[in-house]
Amino acid sequence: MNEFAKVINYIEDHLTDTIDMKEIERLSQMSEFNFQKIFSVLSGISLGEYIRKRRLSQSFYDLKETDTKIIDIAFKYGYQSSEIYSRAFQQLFQISPSNARKTMNQLTLFPKLTIRVQIKGGTEMNYQIIKKESFLVTGIKESYTSVDEGQSKIPLFWDKFNESDLFNQVIKEKDSSGPNTVLGICLPGENGAYDYLIGVNATEVTKQENLETITLPETDWVIFKAVGKVPDAIRTTYQEIYESFFPSTPYSPKNLPEFESYPLDMDPMSEKHITEIWIPINKEE
């Protein structure tokens, strides 16, 4: 977690200027996509939202401790106008910057984040590590510009998939000799953007125009079993993975596609439902 601490300190030192995602990649030693996803899992807030709240919280001190004009404070923290800054400030603190300056009321500010590794004695993580050859997946894909956008839109994508003929179209492509599952795959792109594909293991490239086939490369995978209702069990398992598993093992996530595997013959609202989480890893020799 030393890398995360370095990123948090870097952000804190650059609240009033440009935060360079390439520098965050260098400090965290992982891709922008992986860092943003892991940050969200560990902190419960997206990276973009964290930076926004820290900037607004820091701007409060400028309001209370200096005579700087509100327009200049807005510019200082990256807002293009005092109106945009005031709306953001009001939305977060339920008070305008001008009134916050006039009153002596103390606001509940958003503090600098501290990330700690949790040591959970006696807790077993259900996982296995395998090497798997490349394989085909056929399905339907959506593209997102950021982790934030994906987190808000992927549940709607699943609703559209499950409630339309897309489900039947995709299932027809499934390898009959393979597992009876449907996959949700994150495909990292550039600058934090990524694609998300809902699909099935396939034996050949699809001929359907509205579907596509991708190849997942040969690599080492760590596989976790999230037991319980979706999405709560998955969220809890991801937290354990990044809080406990990776910090305490020699493995690290690769900047390759990762996916969740959902059984087609189980109720996702059942306490016995099992979702497999597949994460590609670097292994130390």
Side-chain angles (χ1 to χ4, degrees):
M1 291 292 103
N2 287 337
E3 291 80 7
F4 272 75
K6 291 177 183 177
V7 173
I8 297 302
N9 289 334
Y10 168 76
I11 290 171
E12 203 68 16
D13 291 339
H14 292 78
L15 290 176
T16 60
D17 53 49
T18 301
I19 292 176
D20 184 356
M21 290 307 302
K22 293 300 181 184
E23 181 64 9
I24 286 181
E25 286 185 335
R26 186 188 72 79
L27 292 171
S28 66
Q29 299 181 25
M30 64 182 70
S31 71
E32 179 180 344
F33 169 79
N34 273 341
F35 180 80
Q36 290 207 42
K37 181 170 183 178
I38 295 170
F39 183 95
S40 177
V41 169
L42 290 177
S43 67
I45 186 174
S46 71
L47 179 61
E49 185 71 358
Y50 172 75
I51 293 171
R52 185 183 73 85
K53 288 184 174 182
R54 283 298 300 137
R55 281 176 165 158
L56 288 170
S57 293
Q58 195 67 22
S59 77
F60 175 70
Y61 293 106
D62 291 72
L63 290 169
K64 300 296 288 186
E65 304 298 332
T66 75
D67 295 325
T68 306
K69 294 179 180 179
I70 290 177
I71 182 65
D72 293 329
I73 293 175
F75 289 153
K76 178 179 179 179
Y77 289 95
Y79 289 89
Q80 296 177 337
S81 70
S82 59
E83 290 78 11
I84 296 174
Y85 166 70
S86 295
R87 282 199 299 270
F89 193 95
Q90 174 87 39
Q91 184 179 34
L92 181 60
F93 297 120
Q94 287 77 53
I95 190 173
S96 69
S98 58
N99 285 334
R101 167 169 273 173
K102 294 173 185 175
T103 66
M104 295 303 293
N105 293 339
Q106 293 298 312
L107 303 185
T108 302
L109 302 181
F110 193 82
K112 176 184 174 182
L113 186 65
T114 300
I115 294 180
R116 297 178 299 175
V117 176
Q118 294 186 15
I119 306 300
K120 301 177 179 179
T123 300
E124 292 186 4
M125 295 198 71
N126 188 2
Y127 73 91
Q128 65 179 130
I129 294 174
I130 68 168
K131 189 176 188 68
K132 185 175 176 63
E133 294 181 352
S134 63
F135 60 100
L136 299 178
V137 177
T138 293
I140 184 168
K141 185 173 72 177
E142 282 193 351
S143 298
Y144 308 114
T145 59
S146 66
V147 172
D148 290 5
E149 182 183 10
Q151 287 176 338
S152 65
K153 292 185 177 180
I154 286 174
L156 301 177
F157 185 25
W158 274 101
D159 288 343
K160 181 175 72 174
F161 173 76
N162 288 322
E163 295 168 5
S164 69
D165 192 50
L166 286 170
F167 178 86
N168 293 325
Q169 291 180 48
V170 170
I171 296 304
K172 287 179 182 178
E173 301 280 332
K174 188 170 73 70
D175 178 3
S176 59
S177 64
N180 189 32
T181 58
V182 61
L183 312 179
I185 307 175
C186 289
L187 303 158
E190 296 293 327
N191 301 317
Y194 69 108
D195 296 331
Y196 187 82
L197 185 138
I198 300 175
V200 292
N201 292 81
T203 56
E204 59 184 23
V205 175
T206 183
K207 296 181 175 63
Q208 296 192 59
E209 292 184 358
N210 63 327
L211 303 181
E212 63 179 284
T213 300
I214 63 170
T215 301
L216 294 186
E218 176 178 323
T219 191
D220 293 299
W221 300 87
V222 58
I223 308 167
F224 299 89
K225 294 184 184 294
V227 181
K229 296 179 181 179
V230 176
D232 295 343
I234 297 173
R235 186 180 302 114
T236 299
T237 303
Y238 269 119
Q239 288 175 336
E240 292 176 349
I241 291 169
Y242 292 115
E243 287 178 352
S244 301
F245 177 79
F246 280 122
S248 61
T249 69
Y251 311 119
S252 61
K254 281 185 179 179
N255 188 35
L256 289 176
E258 62 183 58
F259 64 89
E260 292 147 15
S261 178
Y262 302 93
L264 287 167
D265 55 359
M266 294 186 72
D267 177 7
M269 291 295 100
S270 168
E271 296 289 352
K272 296 182 180 179
H273 184 272
I274 299 175
T275 305
E276 289 189 348
I277 298 172
W278 289 57
I279 300 177
I281 55 171
N282 296 300
K283 290 177 64 178
E284 291 189 355
E285 299 297 334

